Amino acid sequence: MTLSFTMIRQSGRVCAGALLLACLMLASGAAQAQMTGPEGRVYDVRTERESYTARFQPGGAYQDDRPRTGRWHFDGRTLCMLIAAAGPQAPEYEVCTPWRDIEIGESYDSRYWTAHGAPARITRIQ
């Protein structure tokens, strides 16, 4: 009787340990997905005034086809973009937005991607 109780008790520990490990792996996978950020991705950005393609190069370089360049930084939750000046009519600006991880072809509306908070439609294209 003692032997079967010991096996059940040990079996319960093994199951609890396996369950805990599975939960940790799922949490780690979710954290990794969240941490992916924009690196290597391309987005179509459309506002009332303009439309352009934004590219987030590895290492933090930003480039779009307006043409503007700059730097980006992602802390795991927030994406910040410092867009360089393109002459007196288009000064340097910085915008920060809560990160939204979307799949290719998905879109969302945001006021955080433009210099003056204008509405923009963001679509991931790559």
Side-chain angles (χ1 to χ4, degrees), residues 51-125:
S51 175
Y52 59 92
T53 300
R55 299 180 183 281
F56 293 87
Q57 305 293 339
Y62 170 90
Q63 178 182 359
D64 66 38
D65 60 1
R66 290 182 278 184
R68 301 284 294 260
T69 60
R71 305 289 303 159
W72 62 269
H73 172 73
F74 178 63
D75 68 4
R77 294 169 30 144
T78 303
L79 168 64
C80 290
M81 298 169 274
L82 178 63
I83 311 300
Q89 298 300 318
E92 176 179 276
Y93 67 93
E94 182 174 21
V95 292
C96 293
T97 179
W99 178 245
R100 281 200 59 181
D101 193 17
I102 59 174
E103 298 296 321
I104 294 172
E106 290 183 329
S107 300
Y108 71 97
D109 296 319
S110 175
R111 290 184 173 269
Y112 296 107
W113 280 60
T114 61
H116 302 292
R121 182 80 169 162
I122 313 303
T123 304
R124 182 173 169 202
I125 57 176

Side-chain angles (χ1 to χ4, degrees), residues 26-41:
L26 285 173
S28 173
Q32 286 176 352
Q34 181 68 17
M35 292 298 291
T36 301
E39 185 170 53
R41 296 182 179 187

Side-chain angles (χ1 to χ4, degrees), residues 3-61:
L3 178 60
S4 63
F5 176 73
T6 302
M7 287 180 68
I8 291 170
R9 201 166 117 191
Q10 287 178 349
S11 177
R13 285 184 187 162
V14 170
C15 288
L19 182 59
L20 178 61
L21 182 59
C23 289
L24 289 173
M25 288 175 66
L26 285 173
S28 173
Q32 286 176 352
Q34 181 68 17
M35 292 298 291
T36 301
E39 185 170 53
R41 296 182 179 187
V42 180
Y43 295 87
D44 177 65
V45 181
R46 296 184 182 270
T47 70
E48 189 176 282
R49 296 178 145 190
E50 63 186 344
S51 175
Y52 59 92
T53 300
R55 299 180 183 281
F56 293 87
Q57 305 293 339

